[in-house]
Amino acid sequence: MNNWLPLLATLFIQAMVAMALLTLPVMAPVAAKDLGVSPAMVGFYVSITYAGAMFASLTSGTTVSRFGPIRVSQLGLFICAVGLCLCASAWLPMIALGALLIGLGYGPITPASSQILARTTPPEQMGLVFSIKQTGVPVGAMMAGAIVPSLMLAINWQWSMVMVALACVISALLAQPLRKESDDLRQANLPFQMGTLTQPIRMVLGHRALATMAACSFMFSMIQMSLTTYLVTYLHDDLSYGLVSAGLLLSVTQMGGIGGRIVWGVVADKWLGAQKALALLAALMACSSMATALLLPQLPIWGVWLVLIVFGASAIGWNGVYLSEVARQAPEGKASVATGGTLTFTFLGVVIGPPIFGALSTAFGSYRAGFLALVVTSSLCAWVLFRLQRGQNQRPSLQS
C-alpha cells in the first residue's frame, strides 16, 4: 500500500467525524432558540458526546484488533450519522441520545488510525505524519464553521444535520476498498471481556511517559473544546458578530490549528522534542486565552484574525505531537491500546471543560469569564511542564 494512502484516508475519516461532532455547537445560537434553552447548554451536549467517546476509546483496543481499523472507522461514521439524525428531532431527550451515539462513533476513530499509521510510518516521520493526520480535526471543524451556517440559512438546522449525516455515510462507503489490506491482521475470534475496559488505563498509569502525555492531554482538551464549542456564541452574543461571520472566524482558528499541527510536528521531531514543544504550546494557549477574553467589537478584523490564528495554532495544534509520542512510547503492536488509554484522559478533560466554561460564563453574564478561566488552566499546565523539563535537564548535572 502506498505510504500516503493510509494517511489521506485516516485524515479524511477524522475530518468527517469531527464535523459531525461540531455541527450542533456551530448551530447553537439558532438551535437553542428553537429548543427554548440557553446556548450555554451546548456544553452539556459536548460532555455527553465525549462521555460516549471515552467509553468507546476504552474498548477500542479490542474492537480494532477484532474487526480491523478500517471496519471500526466505518462503524464509527455510521453511528455518528445515526446520532446526527436523532439530534435533528429537536426533542431534548432524543438530542441527548444522539449526542451519546455521536461520541460512541467518534471515540474509536483515533485509536484505529493510530494502529494503521504505526504500521506504515517510518519512526523518524512519526511526529509529522501523526500531526498531518490530526489536522483532520480542525479541517472537520473548519468545514462545520464554513458550511453549516450557510447550509442552515438555506434550509434549516434540522435538515442541515441530516445532510451532514448523509456525508458521513458516503465517507464510510468510500473507505471500503482499503479494508482488505488495512484489516489483514484482525482477530475475528478475539473475545470481549470486561477486563479490556481497564487494560488501557492500567497500561497508561503504569508507564511514566504515557501518564505524562495523558495528564497534558487532559488539560489541553479542556482548553481546545471550550474554544471550539463557545467561540461562535461568544462572538455572536458578546461582540455582536453575525452568525455567518462568527462561523468563518471559527474556521480561522481551525486554519491556525491545521498549520500548527504540521509545524509543531516538525518542531518536535527535529528540535525541541515532545515535552518542550508541549510546554511552549501551553504558554501560547495562556496568552491567546487572555487576548481572546479582551477582544472588543471595534478591534480591526485583522487583529481578531491574528489572535484567533495563534489561539488555534496552540490550542488545536498540540494533538499530533501528543499522539505521535504515545505511539512511540507504546509497546510494540499496542498503539491502539495505548492511544485508547490516553484518550480516556483527553476525553475526560472535554467532558469537564465545556460545562465549567458555560457555568462560569452564565454566572458572570459574559463568555469572557470562561476565556479568563482558560488562562489559569493553561498557565498551570505550562508551569508544570516547564518545571518538569527543567528538573530533567538538571538531573544529569547533579549526578556528575
Side-chain angles (χ1 to χ4, degrees):
M1 184 184 295
N2 187 296
N3 284 341
W4 287 103
L5 188 57
L7 174 58
L8 293 174
T10 53
L11 188 155
F12 181 71
I13 292 169
Q14 190 79 60
M16 286 310 307
V17 295
M19 183 180 182
L21 190 147
L22 291 169
T23 292
L24 186 59
V26 169
M27 299 173 169
V30 172
K33 188 178 297 183
D34 285 356
L35 294 169
V37 299
S38 167
M41 290 289 289
V42 73
F44 291 97
Y45 160 86
V46 173
S47 291
I48 294 171
T49 60
Y50 276 91
M54 187 160 48
F55 176 81
S57 70
L58 286 175
T59 63
S60 60
T62 299
T63 54
V64 169
S65 297
R66 182 171 182 174
F67 299 108
I70 288 295
R71 177 61 85 220
V72 168
S73 298
Q74 290 175 305
L75 290 172
L77 285 162
F78 280 123
I79 294 170
C80 284
V82 174
L84 285 165
C85 290
L86 292 178
C87 289
S89 67
W91 184 40
L92 287 177
M94 200 64 75
I95 290 175
L97 178 59
L100 181 64
L101 288 178
I102 291 171
L104 290 173
Y106 184 91
I109 298 299
T110 298
S113 61
S114 290
Q115 189 75 2
I116 294 172
L117 296 179
R119 288 178 59 189
T120 59
T121 306
E124 67 277 7
Q125 296 178 358
M126 292 279 276
L128 177 60
V129 168
F130 274 75
S131 293
I132 293 174
K133 194 280 295 185
Q134 281 305 111
T135 62
V137 176
V139 165
M142 188 167 65
M143 290 163 57
I147 297 171
V148 170
S150 298
L151 187 63
M152 184 172 51
L153 293 175
I155 40 180
N156 60 38
W157 68 270
Q158 290 105 318
W159 279 108
S160 298
M161 299 199 84
V162 174
M163 295 299 292
V164 177
L166 180 60
C168 288
V169 171
I170 294 172
S171 301
L173 297 176
L174 290 175
Q176 181 61 28
L178 298 174
R179 185 169 188 243
K180 181 178 180 181
E181 192 164 354
S182 295
D183 292 359
D184 59 327
L185 298 180
R186 65 185 183 277
Q187 305 168 45
N189 298 321
L190 185 68
F192 180 84
Q193 300 172 336
M194 290 305 295
T196 59
L197 290 176
T198 60
Q199 180 193 2
I201 295 178
R202 293 199 307 268
M203 176 186 291
V204 170
L205 294 180
H207 193 295
R208 183 175 180 181
L210 292 177
T212 301
M213 292 300 103
C216 289
S217 74
F218 171 77
M219 303 290 283
F220 289 166
S221 64
M222 293 176 66
I223 300 164
Q224 176 181 342
M225 192 49 63
S226 294
L227 169 65
T228 305
T229 302
Y230 285 105
L231 181 63
V232 170
T233 306
Y234 168 55
L235 293 171
H236 182 269
D237 290 1
D238 285 13
L239 299 179
S240 302
Y241 279 78
L243 192 59
V244 172
S245 297
L248 289 174
L249 284 170
L250 174 63
S251 297
V252 168
T253 66
Q254 309 307 318
M255 288 167 54
I258 291 169
R261 291 188 181 203
I262 296 172
V263 169
W264 291 115
V266 174
V267 168
D269 277 347
K270 294 186 176 297
W271 296 295
L272 295 183
Q275 206 168 88
K276 283 184 179 178
L278 290 170
L280 181 56
L281 281 164
L284 286 174
M285 288 181 213
C287 296
S288 301
S289 299
M290 178 65 75
T292 302
L294 298 177
L295 288 177
L296 296 172
Q298 59 266 35
L299 187 69
I301 191 64
W302 64 264
V304 179
W305 274 61
L306 180 61
V307 169
L308 295 181
I309 286 175
V310 175
F311 206 167
S314 54
I316 305 171
W318 59 274
N319 307 66
V321 175
Y322 143 70
L323 287 171
S324 67
E325 186 67 9
V326 169
R328 187 182 289 114
Q329 294 288 344
E332 187 173 356
K334 297 292 185 180
S336 64
V337 179
T339 303
T342 55
L343 282 177
T344 302
F345 296 90
T346 308
F347 294 152
L348 180 61
V350 176
V351 170
I352 293 172
I356 294 176
F357 188 106
L360 285 170
S361 300
T362 300
F364 286 92
S366 171
Y367 291 96
R368 297 182 192 277
F371 284 105
L372 288 174
L374 297 185
V375 177
V376 178
T377 303
S378 49
S379 296
L380 176 62
C381 197
W383 180 77
V384 169
L385 285 166
F386 277 121
R387 290 268 299 180
L388 181 64
Q389 184 64 40
R390 189 172 68 175
Q392 289 182 342
N393 290 339
Q394 289 177 346
R395 199 169 296 129
S397 63
L398 291 174
Q399 292 173 348
S400 57

